[in-house]
Amino acid sequence: MTSPNDKTIFTQRESNARSYCRGFDTVFTSAQGSELCDADGNTYIDFLAGCSSLNYGHNDPDMKEALINHLLENKMGHALDLHTDSKADFLTAFTDHILAPRGMDHKVMFVGPTGANAVEAAMKIARKATGRTNIVAFTNGFHGVTMGALAATGNGYHRGGAGMETQGVTRLPYDDYADGVDSVALLDQMLSDASGGVDAPAAIMLETVQGEGGLNAASPEFIQGVEKVARKHGALFIIDDIQAGCGRTGTFFSFEEMGVMPDLVTQAKSISGFGLPMALLLIRPDYDVFGPAEHNGTFRGNTHAFVTATVAIQKFWADDTFQRELAVKADVLREGLAAVADLVPDAFLKGRGLMQGVDVGTGELASEICGLCFEKGLVIETSGNEDQVVKVLAPLTTPMETFRTGLAILREATSEVMASGTKIAAE
């Protein structure tokens, strides 16, 4: 018999494509709220939250109860895209508490269970609706690793995994990517010039905060400018809200306070509320152009996820109480990360809301800090073009005491790494 924390089977049988487990070398067995437990009985504060797939924490009791009752009553476990009572409940809650209060008339398209599938559907709709093929995306954007979404992803490592050329996307500078460059003006100029070399786009797609790209947060002026350029040149405006949405930046949608209205919005990760696979695409009615099953998939609409997502919306978004709590936590996070940044020469804060981190300059240093955090009981990861950003994605429901304890561990680990005299810390 193997020991509870024996990891032999993973190294023997699981593909080399495994990723997060390499940085957190233990066997996790249970989780509750903002804490994880492993097979040896160790407890960890979770500042990763399934890469923002668990914004409401692990095993929320109300969502769990609703899901258990659904199972005990022999409700639908899988339904293709048939009409079900659980889907009706979700669409009603989503309409009443999310779309209508924000003046959004979007249709909801259920796609395959991953965010990449929502991106693929958005790109296909834009191309069908406009008759054009080019998509404009931005430096450091991350939209998924299936072939269409990968074409819009900037990360060279992931693009290299395609094994063939990716096509159909023009990449331009994101906000503040290049010193002294007005990215919106450049985009408009290139599209306005018949010799600019950029084909008229079907869509312009962006993240308001680039999660995997290093927590690059665009200004409202940049987002508004891109939308105006899209309207001027007949392109659809797509916001990829897969990681930045569902409250991660302080409001349900990351673009709510920016004065824009995207034609298409992709959502996944925390939309199910419980970590269950679910993705969807929001579509302005004029662009709801797919015919029946023209973009389909066996798992387009997770019945169990409908149940938990409905509870999440009703519990956290029926009024503004939760959103006001997020604003307080965002301030606490900013203060805590500023104290971390003070420990590292030339380090600086990045991000927005509860999607913030510290750029410590190198991936080596960020990795060493995160590694020591794990030894001290904190699960936290890196992001950025060189993995140089220590990124906090704690569950939005994390109790304030736990939140502060996690930040204290991060500060302590950073201090120890910088004081250790290692080559990395010296650099």
Side-chain angles (χ1 to χ4, degrees), residues 145 147 150 156-166:
V145 297
M147 291 303 292
L150 186 60
Y157 174 78
H158 289 98
R159 289 168 61 80
M164 61 180 289
E165 184 179 358
T166 54

Side-chain angles (χ1 to χ4, degrees), residues 210-267:
Q210 296 181 320
E212 299 308 299
L215 299 181
N216 306 309
S219 67
E221 293 76 18
F222 174 80
I223 302 299
Q224 293 166 8
V226 171
E227 183 188 40
K228 289 177 182 177
V229 171
R231 306 292 179 222
K232 176 180 177 180
H233 295 280
L236 273 62
F237 182 44
I238 304 174
I239 288 185
D240 181 340
D241 227 26
I242 291 168
Q243 187 168 142
C246 295
R248 178 54 61 183
T249 58
T251 52
F252 187 86
F253 296 110
S254 69
F255 54 83
E256 283 185 35
E257 298 173 343
M258 292 189 167
V260 298
M261 184 58 71
D263 300 304
L264 304 171
V265 182
T266 61
Q267 290 202 291

